[in-house]
Each structure stands twice: as structure tokens, then as C-alpha cells.
């Protein structure tokens, strides 16, 4: 990623949020909280930058099963096709989820056990209700992209050469 040969690592902590952890997360990963001591240890290492990502959805997000009529609204089972709002010929299929990480709710909060004081940036993703955004960089649409974070710019501006990732994803 960097143009020079210097080793400048970044740590990206992915979606360590209440809704992804027991005891009450709507998409809880069994043992999700168990990784926090390891992540806190990583936060003590000399990474050039440390970033945390978080899902941060509006209540009417397209990926929530509750926002679709029956019978195609079963969390974890139903699939929908989302069209790029700027280019209807570009589509993406995605699974429907239970409501999770809704802006302004406890489920969207980063776990209090995480040593967030050692994190320089928090990247909020999934804020555009019209598109799914699993990536902390951008949504899956290309012609054109609909929602893009500033994570890539932050990494480039810091001349990051390597990115190390820890966190919760696809473990529900």
C-alpha cells in the first residue's frame, strides 16, 4: 500500500460491538467477548495507526428482515436483490438479518471492555439505508459506488505498508 519500503503496520479492529456479542446481541457470536483481551494486547503494540470499525445502521436499513414483507423476510434465510440506486443494471444479492447495530441503540456500541482509548479512528459503515456495506472501505457497487468510508485515505495518508485485522465477522 505504501510507496516506500518502510514497514508501517496498521491494526483494524472489526465490529467489536454489543449486537455481535452475548449475552443479548441480535447477531451474537458465541464467545465473541473472549477475543477482547487479545485485541487489547494488540492495541499495546506499536502500530502506526489503530482503527475500529462499527456497523452503524439506520433503523430502516435494507438488510433488516423486519423492513421487508412476508414471506421473504426471515432473518438468516431470506435473500434479496439490491439494485445500485444510481445504476439499476448493477445488482447485489444479500441475506436478510435481524435488526442490529442501529444508530443510537446500545447494540451499536463498541464493547466497553475494548481499550478504545488506544484507537485513533472509528470508521462507521452501513449508514446508507439503500445498500449493504460489509466492507469498512466501500459498498459492493462499482458503477458507481454508493457509500465509501475514508479508511483507505487514512491508510494511504499514514503510508501504511501492512494491515492486520482482528475482530468479529461472519461468525454469527
Amino acid at each position: 500500500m505504501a510507496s516506500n519500503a518502510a514497514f508501517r503496520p496498521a491494526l483494524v479492529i472489526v465490529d467489536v460491538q454489543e449486537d455481535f456479542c452475548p449475552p443479548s446481541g441480535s447477531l451474537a457470536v458465541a464467545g465473541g467477548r473472549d477475543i477482547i483481551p487479545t485485541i487489547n494486547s494488540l492495541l499495546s503494540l506499536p502500530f502506526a495507526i489503530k482503527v475500529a470499525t462499527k456497523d452503524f445502521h439506520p433503523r430502516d436499513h435494507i438488510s433488516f428482515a423486519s423492513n421487508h414483507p412476508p414471506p421473504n423476510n426471515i432473518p438468516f434465510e431470506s435473500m434479496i436483490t439490491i439494485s445500485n440506486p444510481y445504476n439499476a443494471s448493477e445488482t447485489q444479492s444479500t441475506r436478510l438479518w435481524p435488526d442490529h447495530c442501529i444508530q443510537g441503540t446500545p447494540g451499536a456500541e463498541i464493547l466497553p471492555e475494548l481499550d478504545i482509548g488506544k484507537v485513533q479512528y472509528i470508521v462507521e459503515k452501513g449508514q446508507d439505508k439503500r445498500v449493504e456495506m460489509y466492507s469498512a472501505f466501500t459498498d459492493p457497487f462499482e458503477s458507481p459506488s454508493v457509500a465509501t468510508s475514508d479508511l483507505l485515505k487514512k491508510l494511504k495518508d499514514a503510508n501504511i505498508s501492512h494491515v492486520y485485522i482482528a475482530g468479529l465477522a461472519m461468525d454469527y
Side-chain angles (χ1 to χ4, degrees):
M1 181 165 256
S3 59
N4 61 29
F7 178 68
R8 290 192 43 84
L11 176 63
V12 177
I13 302 163
V14 178
D15 299 355
V16 181
Q17 294 169 262
E18 290 290 351
D19 266 347
F20 295 128
C21 289
S24 58
S26 62
L27 280 170
V29 174
R33 285 184 137 80
D34 298 345
I35 67 169
I36 300 305
T38 300
I39 294 174
N40 283 339
S41 293
L42 291 171
L43 284 167
S44 295
L45 297 175
F47 287 96
I49 60 174
K50 300 163 190 169
V51 179
T53 71
K54 64 187 278 188
D55 261 10
F56 204 59
H57 298 303
R59 193 167 298 282
D60 58 349
H61 196 265
I62 197 165
S63 73
F64 295 164
S66 66
N67 291 326
H68 297 273
N72 187 30
N73 67 344
I74 302 168
F76 304 107
E77 293 180 23
S78 297
M79 301 287 291
I80 60 164
T81 299
I82 302 171
S83 295
N84 184 329
Y86 304 124
N87 175 3
S89 68
E90 187 178 21
T91 62
Q92 171 211 9
S93 292
T94 192
R95 182 176 317 280
L96 292 180
W97 305 107
D99 294 7
H100 65 279
C101 300
I102 297 172
Q103 297 168 6
T105 67
E109 296 301 316
I110 291 178
L111 297 180
E113 303 95 321
L114 186 69
D115 191 355
I116 199 69
K118 294 181 179 176
V119 171
Q120 286 95 355
Y121 305 108
I122 296 176
V123 174
E124 296 172 342
K125 60 189 178 68
Q127 296 179 75
D128 189 315
K129 70 179 185 177
R130 304 169 299 171
V131 296
E132 184 59 277
M133 189 170 173
Y134 295 113
S135 168
F137 294 97
T138 190
D139 66 81
F141 294 120
E142 297 177 356
S143 299
S145 178
V146 178
T148 302
S149 77
D150 63 349
L151 180 56
L152 181 60
K153 181 180 182 337
K154 288 187 184 307
L155 296 173
K156 283 184 175 184
D157 288 351
N159 293 314
I160 297 302
S161 62
H162 295 74
V163 177
Y164 295 86
I165 300 171
L168 300 172
M170 299 300 293
D171 296 317
Y172 55 89

